[in-house]
Amino acid sequence: MLINTSPRVVHALESLKEVLTTMSGIIIESAYVSIPLLGSVLVDTDISKNNDCHSILSKGLDRFYSEVVKT
């Protein structure tokens, strides 16, 4: 599961995917989530309490879990 915290990050994310794939990692695209934290002052405890972030992360984790148990 990949979590992007900045919508402007494109090249770094693609590079990370390439590295993971090269190392035989499996990218589960359906579990990819993007949380707009750029410029926010949220810390880890705030993120888990934030309804939008919580919803996005929960859905991503559900999709990740579903794909993992299939294999």
Side-chain angles (χ1 to χ4, degrees):
M1 176 176 172
L2 296 176
I3 302 171
N4 184 8
T5 60
S6 174
R8 297 188 309 192
V9 175
V10 177
H11 299 296
L13 183 61
E14 292 304 317
S15 294
L16 176 59
K17 287 180 180 180
E18 182 66 27
V19 168
L20 293 172
T21 303
T22 300
M23 297 179 72
S24 300
I26 299 171
I27 306 296
I28 301 173
E29 291 290 341
S30 64
Y32 167 80
V33 295
S34 183
I35 301 174
L37 297 180
L38 183 67
S40 76
V41 292
L42 296 175
V43 295
D44 57 349
T45 53
D46 296 333
I47 293 168
S48 64
K49 293 176 185 174
N50 179 289
N51 288 337
D52 292 335
C53 292
H54 184 269
S55 176
I56 292 168
L57 288 171
S58 292
K59 289 175 184 174
L61 285 170
D62 287 344
R63 290 186 294 248
F64 182 73
Y65 174 79
S66 296
E67 289 297 319
V68 169
V69 295
K70 284 182 186 178
T71 57

